[in-house]
Each structure stands twice: as structure tokens, then as C-alpha cells.
DNA sequence: TAGATTTTTGTAACCCTTTACACAAAATTT
DNA sequence: AAATTTTGTGTAAAGGGTTACAAAAATCTA
């Protein structure tokens, strides 16, 4: 049925001959309405094309069936997978989700959080946290909005905070051990920005694994530049090449870093894997193009789990699950090593 | 200020000694409150940490300051750029945006639209439309919710419908002319699914341009497979190779198609660009990895423009802008041709 | 068949804002 | 100082649902 007039539950009540309370009960599946009445009401709803006004419902119930995900930069190929996992589960449990892209802007992030509180979202996914909590997320819990850190987390986790992530330490440990098992000893490490838990863990794992295996970690082979994009990988590699001695392998804490490295290597006629082993992290789907070995961090599943946890918290208020959930990564070996 | 008690405008009124009406006026910047009162109220708001309940406001105003974007699959690398453009402008004009991922499921898309109407979003971006309108979007306008098609559009545009897209026809025309200018005559065309406007336009442009240039279009060199992913590009190319005569160039209606083609070509020792020219479409940032020439469809700008149009419609109800906005694409030449 | 019990339905308050309108206070004019 | 205008503030009614509670209707019991 067309028409721009707004239908309310009152209209349905009037047309069907029942009271608003009864209609409301039908809409909300409260099982106190006789089958006969229910059918009649449903039919009228169908006929009139009535859709409940969720806003009014939210106001009354103080629940909006809305979640939000805050990310730094959605064009980072890591996020779409994560988001699609979240969306999938959220959808299945009848939540809509706001997408908040902070563009690396702290003030924007803070304002987003304020807005989300105003908009009364039921819960929030945070994938922006640095180790030292530049942004104060507890304003959310002060407003009774639970949140879960996804992928990245702050140094310490408070009560009422959840974290779902992949085991970055194990990921790198596994990868490095694999590389070593190939007889490689000289490994350069592009570490990425150390204020983030993920990159922090990865570097830690590298150092400790090398040490355990009795191998030397050269300072000039560790690059902790601020970014983890292609450009940084490219520049790191040029610098590496300028040095007299090349390592046998470059391990990159992200795939874009590895792509940049690959480009620099190609340009300098250094063949992968013949002259140099190369490994990335995150298993970007385009890594296959250059046969890049990588570590699959299971991003979609990460999103799914995060959504399960958050919605669980929402439903039970006190969830049985533990505060931290760590998923296993998977080593993906292709031709680059 | 911490605490889980919910603050309302009444609390602010009581504490500040003014009425709710006055407080509300301050919050909404209605200039009828004296400077002195305003400051006092603002200070109390700050002190108490009061945040207006947007839900209640939305109910009263019948406006939610919320938009939604419906896409088919957010992991398609085309979308994040588009979305970030939309988000950027939406944010700057104080809108939040719902992300709706249909996973190519028509029923899910319909249900999403129903939900969005229930949630009273102010406007919607649609990037899912097939030429023949499988989904009925007019339920949105029936509910007074404007929408704009982004990138893809249906065959005919009704009144009250907007479209913002890139000029797909011109894009391919330009690319094909460039290729021809290089002395190439035999061009294979991976066309993608023809039920979508974008791919439809691209194929049309190919055929007409070739004809205008007096070149032959071989049926067996045109692949209109249902998908436009890597796999399809790979399979198309294997098939192509099996045929006795190879073309001199493969034009792909998407970059993933080109990536798949590249893989198949490499595996069969056909060198790009020496033995085969290759061109993609969409200028995926990882195309650079293999030196893929492509067409930049300006996705971020597309998103920005779409957001401008939609919000314009929202504000003015009748916008000055025309119903269709077509942005120019840009040819990106790299080593692959 | 009256009375008790169970099932179904209706009334009205509430959720938190916004805003039309009325009124009070202050400023200005006469 | 009274009358008029301007400015600032308060009251109360929406907005569209949900839900506790009361009431009516239907069913059952003896």
C-alpha cells in the first residue's frame, strides 16, 4: 500500500477493532493474544503496510538494537573482512550497525563516541585502541554501553571490558620458526607502529623467538616506522638495500609492507624467493598475485566472535565468557618462502 | 562525571534553575536565551556530563540524523573507498551511517530496507541496484525517505530518484582508444555480469568504440560470466589460451578479473606486456604490484558527491541539482600496456 | 446456573525531547 | 510613573510506542 501518511499503532488498532495494547503484544510476540485475534491483527498490519516506529520503541525500552563499529580507516584492507564478520552476526541477531571511520583523528573518535552515547547504541566495537588509551572509552561504560576491543587492545583491560583478537605472538612465532626451519638465519623485521598492541606483540614474538633459537637480531634490520603501508615497506627496503649486507628474509608485520618491499626488490632485481624470502602478515587476498606467504589472522571469524561476545554481554549483562578471547592464526605458505 | 544514573534535560533544568524549555533552547542553539542564562546552563550541562537523548529528539522531530548505505559485499575492494567518501561528508554534516551488507541476498536486502524504514533513517545510499529493479526501492519514497543510487542504477530513473555515478561508457571508450592508439587490433573483453548498469555500459562502450574504429569484435573474445572476481578472470584466460589464436590485449571490466588473468598468463608463460597487453578497471591500489594499467573511477569522490546530493535533498526537499550526476573517470597507465 | 478461574483485552502512564503559546520581567517610550 | 514594547522563561501537549494493572469475556466447576 502506497501513501505518505504515517501509520501508527493506533491506526492499526482502530482498523482491526482491537486496542493498541493487543496490537503491540502481537507485534512483540507476547503470547497473550488468542490465535484468532492475532491473525486478524497481522492481516490488518499486512494490509495497511504498517511498520512499527522503532524510534518510539527505543525510547520506551531504552534499547535501540543498534551497534557501532569504530575503525581507523576503512580502506585498510584488513577492516572489510572484520566488518563483514561483525555485520553477519549482528544481522542474524537483529542489530543494525553504525560504521564510524575515525580517519586517525582522535578528536573525531571522541566525538563519535559522544554521538554514539547520544544515539543510545546498545554496544560498540572498538578497533582503534592504542596501548596507552589515548581515548577514554570508559565514558561508554559510564553510560551503560558495553564495548569490546577487536584486534587491538589497550595495555590493561579493565573490568567490564572485553577483547577479541588473534594471537599475534603465536602468529609471528610460528612464521619465524617456519622460516628458520628453511635454514634461514638472517631475518629483517618490518615491525610497524609500536603503539598498537598487534604490532607490539609481533615484534616481541620476533625478538623472543630469535633469541630462543639462538639467532642474532640486528638492530639495523628492525624497522619500527610509524606506518605499515606500502610506502613504508618500499622505503624500508631501499634503505636495507643500501646497507652492505642483505638479510636472507624480510618479515613484514603487514601485507602492504610486504607489497612495498616486493616492489623495491623487483626494481633492484632482487628475486623472490631466489635471492630473498619474503613474508607478510594478514593474508590480504591480493598477496596471491605475487605468491606472498603470509599469516591469515582470520579476520572474518574475528568479527563474528566479537559480535557474539558483545551481543552475549548485551543479553546477559554478565557473560559467562571470559574477558579475553584469542583466536589462532594460520600460516599461509606460498612461493615467496 | 561518572555514574550510571541517566541524566535527562529535567535534571539539568532543576540543577540550573531554569525550565526544560530554556535548556532545550540552549542545546538547540535557538537564539532566544540571554547570554548569561545560556552560559550558566552550558556550564551545568558540562558539570553533570549531560548528553541529550537523541532518540527522544528523533521521535519528536521525526528526523534521526542517520543515513544508511546498502552494498552487496563490503569485501569487494571497490566499496571501502566509496564508503569512506560517504562517511566523510556525512560526518561533516552531522549524520551517522548504517552499513548494510546484503551478501548478494535479495531477501536480506528487502528486510534491510524494511528495517531502515522502521528505524526512520533520513536517507539511503543504494549501491546494489540491478538494471531491472529486482528490489522495489519505492517503499522508501513511500515512507518519505529519499535515496540515491550510487555507482549502479536501474534502467530507468523515476521521479524522486537520484543517481551519482562515474561515466563507465567514457571510461572504456577512452581506454580502448588508448589501446588502439598503441597499434593493437585484437582485444578480448571480460565484461562481467550484464545485469548491472556499470558492466552493461562498459561492454556497450567496447562494442561501439571498436565498431567506430572499424575493428572486429569477436564473440569468442567476449566473456560475460556472472562474476567479476579473480577466479572468473583466471578461468576466462585459461579458456582463451586454449583457443588457437590469442588476442593482443585483454581488457577487464574489473581489476580482480585482471588479477586472475595475470595469474593465468604468468602460469602459461605469457608475458605482460611483451606478449599480451592487460588493462583493468577500478584502479585497485594493489594493481600497482603488477604494473596493471587501469581506470580510476574516482570512488571516494563518488561517495562524497553522493552524500552531498542526498543531504542536499534532505535539506531542501527539492534540490536544484539534477537527478543524475556523472563523474569523469581517469585513465591510469602503468607497465601492463 | 452461580461462582470461581482463566484468558483476553483495554486504559493510561511513561520514556525524553521539542515547541507553541502564555506569561512575567525588563527595557523603552511617552 | 504609566503604558508599551521587547526579551526571557515556563507550562503542557505532543511524538509513537510499551506495559502494569484493571476490567471484561470466556471457560470451567460443582
Amino acid at each position: 500500500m502506497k501513501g505518505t501518511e504515517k501509520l501508527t499503532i493506533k491506526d492499526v488498532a482502530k482498523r482491526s477493532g482491537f486496542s493498541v495494547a493487543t496490537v503491540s503484544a502481537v507485534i512483540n510476540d507476547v503470547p497473550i493474544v488468542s490465535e484468532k485475534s492475532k491473525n486478524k491483527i497481522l492481516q490488518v498490519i499486512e494490509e495497511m503496510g504498517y511498520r512499527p516506529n522503532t524510534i518510539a520503541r527505543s525510547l520506551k525500552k531504552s534499547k535501540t538494537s543498534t551497534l557501532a563499529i569504530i575503525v581507523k580507516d576503512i580502506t585498510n584492507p584488513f577492516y572489510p573482512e572484520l566488518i563483514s564478520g561483525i555485520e553477519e552476526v549482528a544481522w542474524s541477531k537483529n542489530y543494525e550497525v553504525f560504521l564510524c571511520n575515525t580517519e586517525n583523528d582522535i578528536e573525531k573518535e571522541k566525538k563519535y563516541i559522544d554521538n554514539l552515547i547520544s544515539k543510545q547504541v546498545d554496544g560498540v566495537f572498538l578497533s582503534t585502541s592504542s596501548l596507552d588509551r589515548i581515548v577514554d572509552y570508559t565514558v561508554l561504560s559510564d553510560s551503560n554501553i558495553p564495548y569490546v576491543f577487536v584486534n587491538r587492545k589497550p595495555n590493561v583491560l579493565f573490568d567490564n571490558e572485553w577483547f577479541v583478537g588473534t594471537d599475534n605472538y603465536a602468529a609471528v612465532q610460528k612464521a619465524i620458526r617456519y622460516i628458520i626451519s628453511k635454514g634461514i638465519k638472517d631475518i629483517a623485521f618490518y615491525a610497524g607502529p609500536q603503539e598498537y598492541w598487534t604490532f607490539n606483540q609481533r615484534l616481541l614474538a620476533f625478538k623472543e623467538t630469535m633469541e630462543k633459537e639462538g639467532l642474532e637480531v640486528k638492530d639495523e634490520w628492525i624497522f619500527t616506522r610509524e606506518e605499515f603501508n606500502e610506502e613504508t615497506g618500499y622505503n624500508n627496503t631501499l634503505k636495507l638495500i643500501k646497507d652492505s649486507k642483505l638479510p636472507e628474509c624480510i618479515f613484514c608485520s603487514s601485507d602492504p609492507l610486504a607489497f612495498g618491499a616486493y616492489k623495491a626488490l623487483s626494481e633492484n632485481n632482487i628475486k623472490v624467493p631466489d635471492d630473498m624470502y619474503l613474508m607478510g602478515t594478514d593474508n590480504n587476498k591480493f598477496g596471491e598475485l605475487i605468491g606472498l606467504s603470509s599469516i591469515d589472522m582470520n579476520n572474518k571469524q574475528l568479527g563474528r566472535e566479537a559480535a557474539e561476545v558483545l551481543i552475549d554481554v548485551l543479553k546477559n549483562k554478565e557473560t559467562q565468557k571470559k574477558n579475553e578471547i584469542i583466536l589462532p592464526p594460520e600460516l599461509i605458505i606460498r612461493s615467496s618462502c
Side-chain angles (χ1 to χ4, degrees), chain A:
Chain A
M1 161 172 279
K2 307 240 163 175
T4 54
E5 74 294 346
K6 255 187 217 142
L7 294 172
T8 76
I9 199 171
K10 271 189 197 141
D11 299 313
V12 176
K14 198 174 293 167
R15 180 93 104 90
S16 64
F18 290 88
S19 75
V20 291
T22 308
V23 176
S24 176
V26 169
I27 293 169
N28 291 286
D29 259 329
V30 184
I32 58 160
V33 184
S34 66
E35 203 60 22
K36 200 159 45 151
S37 312
K38 187 173 169 179
N39 287 334
K40 200 188 223 164
I41 290 172
L42 283 176
Q43 194 190 329
V44 171
I45 288 176
E46 176 71 22
E47 264 173 39
M48 304 179 81
Y50 165 74
R51 285 187 196 79
N53 180 331
T54 313
I55 298 298
R57 173 185 295 165
S58 297
L59 177 59
K60 178 63 191 176
K61 289 198 157 184
S62 314
K63 288 204 298 173
T64 53
S65 300
T66 299
L67 306 176
I69 169 162
I70 305 185
V71 302
K72 269 194 183 318
D73 173 15
I74 195 196
T75 65
N76 176 336
F78 155 81
Y79 283 123
E81 292 282 338
L82 177 74
I83 293 173
S84 75
I86 288 178
E87 190 274 347
E88 180 189 304
V89 172
W91 169 258
S92 76
K93 314 223 168 179
N94 272 302
Y95 288 87
E96 251 72 40
V97 5
F98 279 129
L99 177 67
C100 311
N101 200 42
T102 68
E103 301 178 278
N104 268 309
D105 176 345
I106 300 293
E107 289 312 312
K108 188 173 176 189
E109 182 168 358
K110 283 181 187 162
K111 180 123 187 287
Y112 249 132
I113 290 176
D114 267 355
N115 289 359
L116 293 177
I117 296 174
S118 267
K119 288 223 165 155
Q120 315 261 95
V121 299
D122 292 344
V124 178
F125 302 95
L126 296 163
S127 194
T128 48
S129 170
S130 60
L131 282 171
D132 58 357
R133 279 183 192 265
I134 298 175
V135 176
D136 176 19
Y137 302 112
T138 62
V139 290
L140 285 168
S141 39
D142 289 346
S143 295
N144 267 317
I145 299 175
Y147 51 96
V148 4
F149 296 106
V150 190
N151 189 47
R152 290 177 186 172
K153 73 184 192 74
N155 230 328
V156 295
L157 215 54
F158 300 156
D159 289 350
N160 289 317
E161 290 189 335
W162 283 263
F163 171 64
V164 180
T166 318
D167 194 335
N168 284 272
Y169 191 97
V172 171
Q173 189 175 52
K174 214 164 162 182
I176 296 294
R177 285 201 171 137
Y178 170 83
I179 292 166
I180 293 172
S181 80
K182 292 280 169 185
I184 302 291
K185 286 188 165 59
D186 294 346
I187 306 177
F189 195 86
Y190 296 0
Q194 289 303 301
E195 66 267 33
Y196 299 120
W197 183 77
T198 43
F199 292 108
N200 198 261
Q201 288 289 299
R202 291 171 194 179
L203 177 54
L204 186 67
F206 172 66
K207 285 182 173 166
E208 294 190 355
T209 306
M210 291 291 277
E211 191 177 358
K212 267 188 211 143
E213 301 285 336
L215 295 177
E216 189 193 359
V217 173
K218 286 197 191 169
D219 278 351
E220 67 268 30
W221 283 351
I222 296 187
F223 293 79
T224 53
R225 294 274 180 89
E226 59 290 346
E227 286 296 330
F228 52 98
N229 55 19
E230 237 179 299
E231 198 188 341
T232 306
Y234 182 81
N235 291 333
N236 287 352
T237 309
L238 291 186
K239 187 148 175 266
L240 199 63
I241 291 171
K242 257 197 287 179
D243 288 5
S244 49
K245 187 165 180 288
L246 275 180
E248 303 163 278
C249 173
I250 300 174
F251 182 99
C252 299
S253 274
S254 85
D255 279 346
L257 281 172
F259 293 153
Y262 185 84
K263 194 176 157 201
L265 292 171
S266 309
E267 286 178 10
N268 285 275
N269 246 322
I270 299 171
K271 293 265 180 295
V272 174
D274 300 341
D275 309 328
M276 176 75 78
Y277 276 14
L278 185 61
M279 183 170 273
T281 309
D282 266 354
N283 196 26
N284 182 296
K285 64 170 147 181
F286 296 113
E288 217 193 328
L289 275 176
I290 55 169
L292 181 66
S293 295
S294 191
I295 308 167
D296 194 327
M297 301 303 270
N298 229 333
N299 292 332
K300 185 152 190 174
Q301 189 55 28
L302 191 58
R304 288 197 193 103
E305 295 273 351
E308 295 282 357
V309 168
L310 183 55
I311 293 172
D312 213 53
V313 172
L314 254 35
K315 295 256 156 85
N316 308 313
K317 230 47 206 159
E318 287 310 324
T319 185
Q320 313 81 331
K321 297 194 182 174
K322 29 186 197 333
N323 269 40
E324 260 182 71
I325 295 183
I326 309 281
L327 304 182
E330 190 188 345
L331 205 55
I332 307 288
I333 300 301
R334 297 202 185 88
S335 60
S336 77
C337 65

